[in-house]
């Protein structure tokens, strides 16, 4: 992509309405545009990152054995009346009436709809276990949408739903998601701590929230200080192995949200306890037959007897993650994208557009890097070097490759790593080699 034609509406001024750094940087870097309170358009740079995050989530869900489908955003109120949640959900639910006066709603979550799909087709325990997920926009009419995409009203969520014949099998399904979540967040360069959590309006008793520690987080959390240095995935099992020992290990190290934390009854001594703020990026629930019973999602068991299925649901805040990643990875000059979610891998900076040799080398690098499978943003604008460097730092691509007439006289270009600021002078060929 050539920056001269790329739709990248960066802002020079710091937007005053944004209270936290990730929101400020997303606006300044031209990633999003608010269209109403808590509702955002994703501009090309933001959209690229969103797709990268979504893809990592998808790959780990698939690896764990979940299957992707896609349910609609608009739901009928009927199903919610069946489960009993239509009234309970309250004002957070956006209720809509169609031209025939039928009650509809914009889905805040999909337990009812997936249960309805399940009961229409699955009739025998032999078809279990089953885990179905989608990545779809949700709407929750939050009282206080704020912090940009972190607490939006419309937001992108991955939600998976598991169906099992009995509690033991449901526990295995839960453990697979537990592992998939740890892997997903780690791939994005995040340290997410699984914390015992309240189940809220979803229901059930076994539940973990995945929390990124951050001062701007909206949740109060407590954990053992060991969590700060643990590498959970170092000895992680594969999805098909017995996950119980792994699960036992990492649920035994104390971590709880403030709803679950009891100061008088905490097993961790004061000196080892970390009290912090955190961002909830994922939440998993095992809720047994809470929906299958009222909605009659029943299969025939081994003896032919009717069994209401054991269910769980598993959410990841795909759009919220973008804010969380930026909160965790930025400096005074801008965003520092982890390689896995970066909108482009390399920013190629032409320091003197119009200089024949500089243009020629940039052109060559642009084509060769892309031939090597790199996503390249080529700054071919006729701008001062200072402007170009500032923009590159702001949008935070992992590598900057800087080409100018002075370097070329000595046969070198400059390669900068955004995360460390480390710069290296290299020949064009070694730069190419380093970046492939
Ligand atoms: P919160 O406590 O932040 O309101 P929640 O507990 O209501 O979130 P869940 O029902 O557990 O949310 O939904 C699963 C995931 O969806 C959350 O872990 C979070 O990452 C994301 N999410 C929830 N609400 C929002 C929102 N308003 N904007 C962006 N992401 C959200
Ligand atoms: Mg909420
Ligand atoms: Mg919550
Ligand atoms: Mg939650």
């Amino acid at each position: 992509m050539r920056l001269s034609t790329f739709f990248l509406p960066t802002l020079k001024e710091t937007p005053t309405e944004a209270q936290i750094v990730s929101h400020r940087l997303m606006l300044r870097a031209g990633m999003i545009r608010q269209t109403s309170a808590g509702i955002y358009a994703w501009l090309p740079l933001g959209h690229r990152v969103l797709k990268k995050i979504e893809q990592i989530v998808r790959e780990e869900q698939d690896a764990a054995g979940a299957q992707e489908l896609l349910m609609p955003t608009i739901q009928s109120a009927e199903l919610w009346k069946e489960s009993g949640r239509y009234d309970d959900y309250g004002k957070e639910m956006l209720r809509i009436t169609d031209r025939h006066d039928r009650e509809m709603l914009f889905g805040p979550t999909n337990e009812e709809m997936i249960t309805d799909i399940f009961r229409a087709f699955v009739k025998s325990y032999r078809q279990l276990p089953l885990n179905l997920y989608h990545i779809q926009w949700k709407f929750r009419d939050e009282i206080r949408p704020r912090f940009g995409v972190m607490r939006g009203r419309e937001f992108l969520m991955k939600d998976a739903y598991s169906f099992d014949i009995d509690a033991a099998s449901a526990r295995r399904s839960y453990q697979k998601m537990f592992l998939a979540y740890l892997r997903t967040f780690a791939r994005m360069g995040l340290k997410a701590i699984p914390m015992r959590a309240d189940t809220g309006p979803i229901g059930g008793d076994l539940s973990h929230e995945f929390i990124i520690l951050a001062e701007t987080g909206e949740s109060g959390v407590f954990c053992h200080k060991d969590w700060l240095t643990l590498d959970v995935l170092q000895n992680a099992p594969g999805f098909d192995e017995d996950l119980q020992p792994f699960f036992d290990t990492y649920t035994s190290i104390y971590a709880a949200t403030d709803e679950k934390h009891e100061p008088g009854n905490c097993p961790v001594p004061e000196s080892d306890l970390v009290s912090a703020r955190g961002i909830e990026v994922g939440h998993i629930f095992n809720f047994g037959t809470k929906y299958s019973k009222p909605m009659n999602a029943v299969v025939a068991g081994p003896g032919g007897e009717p069994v209401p299925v054991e269910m769980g649901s598993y959410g990841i805040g795909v759009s919220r993650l973008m804010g969380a990643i930026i909160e965790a990875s930025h400096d005074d000059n801008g965003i520092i994208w982890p390689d896995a979610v970066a909108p482009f891998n390399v920013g190629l900076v032409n320091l003197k557009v119009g200089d024949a040799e500089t243009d020629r080398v940039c052109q060559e690098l642009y084509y060769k890097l892309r031939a090597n499978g790199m996503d390249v943003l080529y700054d071919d604008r006729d701008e001062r070097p200072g402007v170009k460097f500032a923009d590159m730092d702001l949008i935070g691509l992992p590598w900057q490759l800087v080409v100018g007439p002075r370097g070329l006289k000595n046969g070198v270009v400059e390669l900068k790593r955004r995360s460390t600021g480390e710069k290296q002078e290299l020949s064009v060929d070694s730069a190419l080699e380093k970046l492939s």
Side-chain angles (χ1 to χ4, degrees), residues 282-299:
H283 196 165
I284 61 179
F285 304 85
N286 175 316
F287 45 72
T289 56
K290 176 173 156 101
Y291 299 91
S292 58
K293 271 195 179 144
M295 294 185 67
N296 203 30
V298 169
V299 298

Side-chain angles (χ1 to χ4, degrees), residues 222-228 254 261 263 266-275:
F222 298 86
C223 67
H224 192 287
K225 70 174 175 18
D226 283 356
W227 274 114
L228 305 182
Y254 190 78
H261 178 70
C266 172
V268 182
E270 191 80 36
S271 55
D272 290 344
L273 189 68
V274 177
S275 156

Side-chain angles (χ1 to χ4, degrees), residues 140 198 209 280 282-283 285:
R140 295 183 185 176
D198 240 8
E209 277 174 15
E280 178 190 333
H283 196 165
F285 304 85

Side-chain angles (χ1 to χ4, degrees), residues 74-88:
I74 305 293
Q75 307 188 17
S76 156
E78 290 309 313
L79 291 173
W80 290 71
K81 289 182 178 163
E82 253 190 84
S83 74
R85 277 209 294 183
Y86 193 57
D87 293 328
D88 294 355

